[in-house]
Amino acid sequence: MRIEISGHTDNRGSLETNTKLSNTRAKSVVEYLIQKGISPSRLKYKGYAYTQPIASNDNETGRQLNRRVEFKILAK
């Protein structure tokens, strides 16, 4: 199985800053999984910044939901 780990942020701050943050967030999960024995060839990561919100960024509750990491199955 191949998996993409995707990092997401809220919309506070610049796109550049949030892209770096979301990449770092996703990469840290990948590094953890590799330390636990998952082969690096099965993992990839990408930061999406605030381009894929799942909630409103108009309040703190929504912003908290948007700061997340997701796992997407790329191939079985």
Side-chain angles (χ1 to χ4, degrees), residues 27-69:
K27 183 180 179 187
S28 68
V29 172
V30 166
E31 290 171 350
Y32 173 82
L33 293 172
I34 290 168
Q35 288 177 352
K36 294 299 179 183
I38 305 297
S39 171
S41 66
R42 296 177 54 202
L43 303 169
K44 75 179 245 180
Y45 68 91
K46 182 170 181 177
Y48 289 94
Y50 50 70
T51 63
Q52 297 180 0
I54 58 170
S56 172
N57 279 300
D58 294 333
N59 58 63
E60 185 56 32
T61 301
R63 287 189 293 273
Q64 285 178 352
L65 292 170
N66 288 329
R67 295 188 295 260
R68 68 194 189 281
V69 172

Side-chain angles (χ1 to χ4, degrees), residues 4-42:
E4 176 186 275
I5 310 301
S6 58
H8 302 271
T9 65
D10 62 27
N11 69 348
R12 294 212 165 163
S14 70
L15 179 59
E16 180 182 353
T17 298
N18 279 301
T19 299
K20 288 177 187 176
L21 174 60
S22 61
N23 269 315
T24 301
R25 186 172 282 160
K27 183 180 179 187
S28 68
V29 172
V30 166
E31 290 171 350
Y32 173 82
L33 293 172
I34 290 168
Q35 288 177 352
K36 294 299 179 183
I38 305 297
S39 171
S41 66
R42 296 177 54 202

Side-chain angles (χ1 to χ4, degrees), residues 1-4 42 72-76:
M1 181 181 295
R2 288 194 32 80
I3 298 173
E4 176 186 275
R42 296 177 54 202
K72 180 168 56 172
I73 296 173
L74 301 175
K76 290 187 178 187

